[in-house]
Amino acid sequence: MEITFIVDSNAGKLARWLRMMGYDTLFFNSIEDGRLVDIALKEARVVVTRDTQIAKRRVAANGNVKVILSRDDDPRRQLLQVMKELNLDCRETQFTRCLECNQILLPRSRDEVEDLVPPYVFRTQTQYMQCPSCRRVYWQGTHWQRMKQALEEITADSSGPA
Ligand SMILES: [Zn+2]
């Protein structure tokens, strides 16, 4: 079964990293603990939080909801912890999802995005993806490369000795 997530408002940057890896990840800027846990239970999502109170809730304690409690502030170390606890490896699905709204990206031709990207990008990039919801266009620019490299470093850590 595919793993999906709900990330608590205290770990927002992690949500973007999980989406970058291709995981269906819900995130709300502000959400009550009870509602967070309800959604996790209904949709069988793994909760990632820094809030010890959530981990102590009955549904978490009895295993109906999987809670990953992160004690780390750094989203990269949070991601490493999540990957280790769940044994994740998903190089295939990287960069398939909108970082902002969690939608699956659609491939777009160069012509389709001409008016949507800066001229320099249009001249230098050939492959584009677009979010059907927020219309944001993604391409393999320097930001993307940086994130990809960081992700590779993190995944290299996770497969090495603990
Ligand atoms: Zn979007």
Side-chain angles (χ1 to χ4, degrees):
M1 200 185 77
E2 202 193 330
I3 296 171
T4 59
F5 293 94
I6 182 164
V7 171
D8 201 356
S9 41
N10 51 31
K13 285 192 180 133
L14 176 66
R16 292 171 62 90
W17 283 94
L18 289 169
R19 286 173 182 167
M20 191 179 70
M21 291 178 75
Y23 287 104
D24 176 347
T25 304
L26 292 184
F27 171 74
F28 305 93
N29 275 319
S30 149
I31 185 167
E32 282 172 38
D33 290 0
R35 173 137 170 74
L36 181 90
V37 170
D38 271 358
I39 294 172
L41 188 60
K42 267 192 210 111
E43 302 184 7
R45 289 177 182 271
V46 175
V47 175
V48 187
T49 183
R50 302 193 60 214
D51 181 353
T52 52
Q53 294 308 313
I54 288 184
K56 284 182 194 151
R57 284 181 169 247
R58 193 161 47 89
V59 284
N62 69 18
N64 285 333
V65 170
K66 165 88 177 159
V67 176
I68 295 180
L69 181 64
S70 176
R71 300 191 189 283
D72 214 304
D73 214 13
D74 177 354
R76 293 183 194 195
R77 283 204 291 274
Q78 290 170 353
L79 180 62
L80 183 58
Q81 182 190 356
V82 170
M83 291 182 68
K84 279 186 170 164
E85 285 199 23
L86 300 175
N87 257 321
L88 302 185
D89 180 26
C90 55
R91 284 149 220 240
E92 313 270 297
T93 55
Q94 283 175 23
F95 302 104
T96 53
R97 212 171 264 279
C98 181
L99 302 186
E100 307 301 329
C101 48
N102 197 37
Q103 293 288 321
I104 299 270
L105 300 175
L106 304 172
R108 292 283 186 245
S109 73
R110 212 160 160 257
D111 292 341
E112 286 173 302
V113 301
E114 181 168 7
D115 298 332
L116 303 172
V117 301
Y120 171 77
V121 171
F122 183 74
R123 281 202 305 276
T124 53
Q125 300 291 327
T126 52
Q127 284 183 308
Y128 298 92
M129 307 280 270
Q130 188 178 31
C131 172
S133 172
C134 72
R135 318 306 293 172
R136 177 182 285 253
V137 177
Y138 290 84
W139 61 87
Q140 305 209 9
T142 49
H143 181 61
W144 181 313
Q145 301 294 353
R146 259 202 312 276
M147 287 185 94
K148 195 174 170 71
Q149 198 188 345
L151 197 54
E152 266 158 23
E153 283 164 19
I154 294 167
T155 48
D157 283 353
S158 78
S159 53

